[in-house]
Amino acid sequence: MANAIRKWRASVLVACLFLSYNGLAQEDDKEYKGKYLGRLNTYHHQVSGEVYAVNEYTLLFTSFTYDGNGADTFFWAGASNRPGPQGFIVPDEWGKTNVLDRYLNKDFTLTLPDNKKITEIKWFAVYDLASQNTFGDVNIPEEFDPPAPQRISQLSKRSHGVSSESIVILDSKTISIPQFTYDGTGDDTYFWVGLGPQPSSKGTKVPDQYGYMEPLRAYNKEDVIIQLPGEMTVFTVDWLSVFDVKTKSNYGSIIIPDGLNVPPSLVKVIKHVQSLPNCVQLHKRYQVSWEIFGPQITIQLAGQVAEDEYMAFGLSGSDTSSQMEGADATVAYMVDTRGYAADYNITAKAPCGKVLGQYKGVCKDELLGGQDSNQLYTAVRENGINIITYRRTLNSSDPGDKEYPTDRPVYVIWALGRLDENLEPSFHDFYPKSDLLLELNRQEPENSCMDFTENDEKSFEPWKKTEIFDRSIRTFRATIGPSGGRKGYQGISGQTSMGYAWYIEGQLIPELYLRRGLTYNFVVYGGNNPHSANLYHPLIITDEPHGGYDRLSDVAQSKVRVLAGVEFTRRGRPRPTAVGPLCLSKHDTRDRRVDDDFMSFKKFNRSLLFVCESGEGGVLEVTPNTTWPDVVYYNSFTHANMGWKIHVVDAYSRSEAILHNLSRTVIIVAIIFRLL
């Protein structure tokens, strides 16, 4: 009998533990929204909803309802014992202090004004000032501890120089690793998270601070912030490691404590289900999936890109590494609701253009005498993600196409970037630096892709624009240098970039001011080798902003007024006149993908190496006259989007120039009114 009772007690205990575990599991499965304050007490006007503290300044409301019929009703908070006229208005979710409208099951956040903290108030209410009635409220408990970033331990120092200062959990998905150091010599090393008492190979790769999924480079006391992928949070993992997948080695790690009181991540998870069995996450924003059936391969590209951006994917130009030159690539993009998956051949790291009469660069197969071997299957844009599916034969009859092998792995290349004004790919913003080897014909399908997260990419503040407004300068030295990422040429001009730009007097595309009637010389060091697809840049001046005159069709050229830098042969073909040896600012061993980390062009320029070929620079002599427009552009003869503005003025005094422009505007307005 005693044994039976003991067995019964044991079975009850197991059942209770099982039920408790299930309850905890269900609680863990709920989306973390912050520290729960409670449900709004409902008094009038159907006010209801639940309230969470996101951090010490911000409240999250879920399923909030209010009928909107109050006369003078606001979000209201205060430090008195209960809601009353002694309080202050809390701006709505738009930051406005208007009388509240109707809400129906809305989710939103409110931030207390004037840097007030949640710990400084005792209640929050929906309050009507006219009637001094509380329509609904929630109390703030005494000694309330709102969510805040939590500092935990340092990375353990196991090998490969891995170290850090104390790691900070910024929110439920974001981890800061201050002063991170790693020697970069691991075989296949990543930020790695997982479950269990210690790091193991049964984990998940975490994108680096730039969203890349490739092996970690060397770090030397750098502040790194990473974001957990998909629906993963710090509550669903036990540890973070710098882990080598190939050798199954933990180079340094930390245990993430349970029950951290941290802010919830406000990053939105965007579900994406792959329709093809194999999938590889190329970047936080980009994934490729595929299936081989018979003599064909079906490929789906899914990328979190802007409407004017492209996705590129293809076979490497080398059998031993991932190499852009010689690659057979697809460039996929959307124009409104129509999708494209164009077949390209990459013969040089430059936009497509003619070099001594032959096309070189990133060119469509059709321009090179081949054919477009891709067959578009489906194309859709949803939730900010372009999803484009296309098919092609494994072994194409086009000699410019590469074979998709089924008996061995193959190196691939990929990129994300902006389309230029002609819907052609410009220099990519995201691309791999390490080799990527894929086995296309796998025995068992493998899917390592994850859900996308809302693109929380910070907006880039362009580097400060520079001007050369100096009456004493009559000679300008023009050299070539890197365009400086999204803060550089793209941010300053608003145009796409081919990767290089003009440096005038050592400045990145400065705006020049030239006076009519004076003669100026541009000493040009843009390269004098016409066989080079990307480093041959004679200087020209035209009345349109893009340049690349040599790439244009005869019809397009006829619409451009060339002011300097081009002469025409007896056959009417354009020929550049301002050609000189190459003087080039270039990156050293630093990764150019991190150009946007520089706060100014001055700091960026200091990181570059300057090399210059021997020889005298080509000279472009110009004398602006009254027929020149007020704004013209210096650019490259061979490639578009490398230069910027020249302001043609009648006086070097800024006030006189402004008055001159105003007088012209007044005359134009007067003419328009007279015509009316």
Side-chain angles (χ1 to χ4, degrees):
M1 183 68 177
N3 287 337
I5 292 174
R6 280 196 295 270
K7 288 181 180 179
W8 176 79
R9 285 177 176 171
S11 63
V12 169
L13 179 60
V14 169
C16 289
L17 288 172
F18 177 76
L19 290 172
S20 298
Y21 174 80
N22 272 354
L24 287 172
Q26 290 172 5
E27 187 69 27
D28 287 344
D29 285 343
K30 291 182 179 179
E31 179 187 357
Y32 177 67
K33 299 174 182 177
K35 198 164 186 178
Y36 187 60
L37 281 171
R39 185 181 296 274
L40 282 166
N41 299 309
T42 302
Y43 305 125
H44 305 288
H45 292 281
Q46 302 176 23
V47 168
S48 65
E50 294 187 303
V51 187
Y52 299 80
V54 172
N55 54 40
E56 56 185 342
Y57 305 102
T58 308
L59 297 170
L60 170 66
F61 292 78
T62 62
S63 302
F64 177 74
T65 296
Y66 160 59
D67 66 11
N69 292 328
D72 196 24
T73 308
F74 300 90
F75 294 125
W76 192 251
S80 56
N81 290 329
R82 60 182 181 179
Q86 293 182 341
F88 57 88
I89 293 176
V90 178
D92 64 18
E93 65 270 35
W94 309 110
K96 299 184 180 299
T97 54
N98 299 335
V99 173
L100 296 183
D101 290 327
R102 181 173 178 264
Y103 288 79
L104 181 61
N105 291 324
K106 294 289 187 180
D107 296 348
F108 55 89
T109 58
L110 300 181
T111 300
L112 299 182
D114 304 323
N115 290 322
K116 289 184 171 65
K117 297 181 179 180
I118 295 174
T119 52
E120 297 172 0
I121 63 175
K122 291 185 177 181
W123 46 263
F124 179 91
V126 178
Y127 188 80
D128 190 85
L129 291 178
S131 62
Q132 296 190 3
N133 282 331
T134 303
F135 297 163
D137 65 13
V138 65
N139 292 320
I140 311 298
E142 290 186 13
E143 299 182 0
F144 177 71
D145 184 20
Q150 301 292 315
R151 189 177 297 274
I152 57 177
S153 61
Q154 303 173 355
L155 284 170
S156 60
K157 302 176 182 179
R158 297 175 64 91
S159 63
H160 288 269
V162 168
S163 66
S164 74
E165 292 185 355
S166 295
I167 286 176
V168 181
I169 309 298
L170 298 177
D171 61 40
S172 60
K173 288 183 71 68
T174 311
I175 300 173
S176 171
I177 311 176
Q179 299 294 288
F180 175 58
T181 297
Y182 161 58
D183 66 12
T185 61
D187 291 321
D188 197 23
T189 308
Y190 306 91
F191 293 121
W192 194 255
V193 294
L195 297 171
Q198 61 185 9
S200 70
S201 59
K202 294 182 179 179
T204 301
K205 191 185 301 183
V206 178
D208 68 15
Q209 71 269 41
Y210 302 104
Y212 288 99
M213 309 295 293
E214 59 193 26
L216 296 179
R217 60 174 174 84
Y219 290 79
N220 183 21
K221 294 185 177 180
E222 296 183 38
D223 294 336
V224 175
I225 295 178
I226 58 175
Q227 185 186 97
L228 298 179
E231 293 188 319
M232 195 175 290
T233 69
V234 293
F235 305 113
T236 61
V237 298
D238 292 327
W239 44 261
L240 166 68
S241 170
V242 179
F243 194 85
D244 192 285
V245 176
K246 185 176 181 180
T247 62
K248 299 182 180 180
S249 301
N250 172 26
Y251 295 160
S253 61
I254 56 158
I255 300 298
I256 298 177
D258 293 332
L260 289 171
N261 184 24
V262 295
S265 172
L266 300 182
V267 171
K268 179 183 177 183
V269 177
I270 303 173
K271 291 285 188 181
H272 175 65
V273 179
Q274 298 80 24
S275 58
L276 300 176
N278 300 287
C279 189
V280 169
Q281 194 80 28
L282 302 173
H283 184 273
K284 172 187 171 183
R285 294 175 48 186
Y286 189 28
Q287 57 187 228
V288 58
S289 53
W290 71 91
E291 180 180 35
I292 292 177
F293 186 77
Q296 285 191 324
I297 182 170
T298 302
I299 297 174
Q300 183 179 90
L301 305 179
Q304 194 173 36
V305 294
E307 293 181 356
D308 64 346
E309 290 183 319
Y310 66 85
M311 306 175 290
F313 176 79
L315 300 184
S316 168
S318 168
D319 293 333
T320 58
S321 64
S322 293
Q323 175 182 295
M324 287 286 183
E325 290 96 335
D328 176 17
T330 293
V331 176
Y333 57 94
M334 300 283 295
V335 178
D336 297 326
T337 58
R338 185 175 180 181
Y340 296 84
D343 194 359
Y344 276 74
N345 200 280
I346 303 176
T347 57
K349 292 182 179 179
C352 187
K354 283 189 175 181
V355 177
L356 298 180
Q358 293 190 347
Y359 285 105
K360 281 192 176 181
V362 183
C363 299
K364 291 179 179 177
D365 279 19
E366 295 167 325
L367 279 178
L368 302 175
Q371 61 185 17
D372 192 328
S373 302
N374 295 336
Q375 177 187 356
L376 183 68
Y377 186 54
T378 61
V380 65
R381 179 174 176 83
E382 53 186 25
N383 298 320
I385 299 171
N386 282 359
I387 306 167
I388 297 177
T389 308
Y390 62 96
R391 291 173 178 163
R392 57 157 289 169
T393 57
L394 295 170
N395 193 1
S396 169
S397 59
D398 185 347
D401 286 341
K402 290 183 171 293
E403 178 185 356
Y404 280 73
T406 58
D407 58 345
R408 67 185 188 279
V410 64
Y411 286 97
V412 298
I413 53 97
W414 65 266
L416 299 175
R418 288 177 62 191
L419 295 164
D420 68 12
E421 60 277 3
N422 299 313
L423 298 180
E424 291 289 336
S426 63
F427 186 77
H428 29 259
D429 294 320
F430 299 95
Y431 58 98
K433 291 287 284 186
S434 60
D435 296 330
L436 180 58
L437 189 65
L438 293 185
E439 186 175 343
L440 300 176
N441 194 27
R442 297 172 175 174
Q443 295 298 318
E444 294 293 333
E446 185 176 334
N447 186 334
S448 61
C449 290
M450 58 192 72
D451 290 329
F452 291 98
T453 51
E454 183 180 43
N455 194 357
D456 59 343
E457 194 174 274
K458 59 186 177 183
S459 58
F460 288 95
E461 186 71 25
W463 291 331
K464 184 179 179 181
K465 296 181 180 181
T466 56
E467 296 179 345
I468 298 180
F469 189 96
D470 189 336
R471 69 179 69 223
S472 65
I473 296 179
R474 296 287 192 275
T475 300
F476 299 94
R477 179 182 170 91
T479 62
I480 300 296
S483 56
R486 287 168 287 180
K487 286 185 176 180
Y489 184 90
Q490 293 187 56
I492 294 170
S493 69
Q495 301 180 150
T496 59
S497 168
M498 61 81 63
Y500 290 109
W502 283 110
Y503 285 39
I504 308 295
E505 293 296 299
Q507 299 295 323
L508 175 64
I509 59 164
E511 296 188 20
L512 309 180
Y513 285 78
L514 307 185
R515 181 175 174 177
R516 289 183 173 88
L518 296 182
T519 298
Y520 300 86
N521 288 320
F522 288 83
V523 183
V524 182
Y525 295 90
N528 53 15
N529 179 11
H531 296 275
S532 174
N534 62 339
L535 290 175
Y536 175 61
H537 299 289
L539 184 72
I540 62 171
I541 298 176
T542 67
D543 66 347
E544 61 85 36
H546 299 295
Y549 187 78
D550 193 42
R551 300 173 60 204
L552 302 178
S553 65
D554 291 344
V555 173
Q557 286 182 355
S558 67
K559 298 178 181 179
V560 176
R561 182 183 175 190
V562 179
L563 298 164
V566 176
E567 63 183 12
F568 291 87
T569 66
R570 291 181 178 180
R571 295 183 178 181
R573 304 312 304 161
R575 182 169 61 192
T577 61
V579 180
L582 179 66
C583 288
L584 177 68
S585 298
K586 63 179 184 178
H587 295 83
D588 50 13
T589 57
R590 186 178 52 79
D591 189 346
R592 73 175 297 167
R593 298 178 301 178
V594 301
D595 287 354
D596 290 324
D597 287 353
F598 288 94
M599 298 303 295
S600 66
F601 170 72
K602 185 176 182 180
K603 292 182 178 180
F604 170 71
N605 198 28
R606 286 175 179 170
S607 73
L608 303 176
L609 298 176
F610 184 73
V611 293
C612 198
E613 296 175 352
S614 60
E616 297 293 327
V619 177
L620 179 63
E621 183 179 286
V622 299
T623 305
N625 56 41
T626 55
T627 69
W628 280 38
D630 290 341
V631 178
V632 296
Y633 301 86
Y634 60 93
N635 259 304
S636 167
F637 175 74
T638 53
H639 288 290
N641 298 344
M642 288 185 59
W644 198 220
K645 295 179 180 179
I646 297 176
H647 298 271
V648 182
V649 298
D650 293 322
Y652 263 115
S653 167
R654 288 189 182 273
S655 58
E656 289 181 24
I658 292 171
L659 288 173
H660 173 74
N661 290 333
L662 283 175
S663 65
R664 287 193 173 201
T665 303
V666 170
I667 292 172
I668 293 171
V669 171
I671 292 172
I672 292 173
F673 272 105
R674 182 173 294 179
L675 291 174
L676 293 174

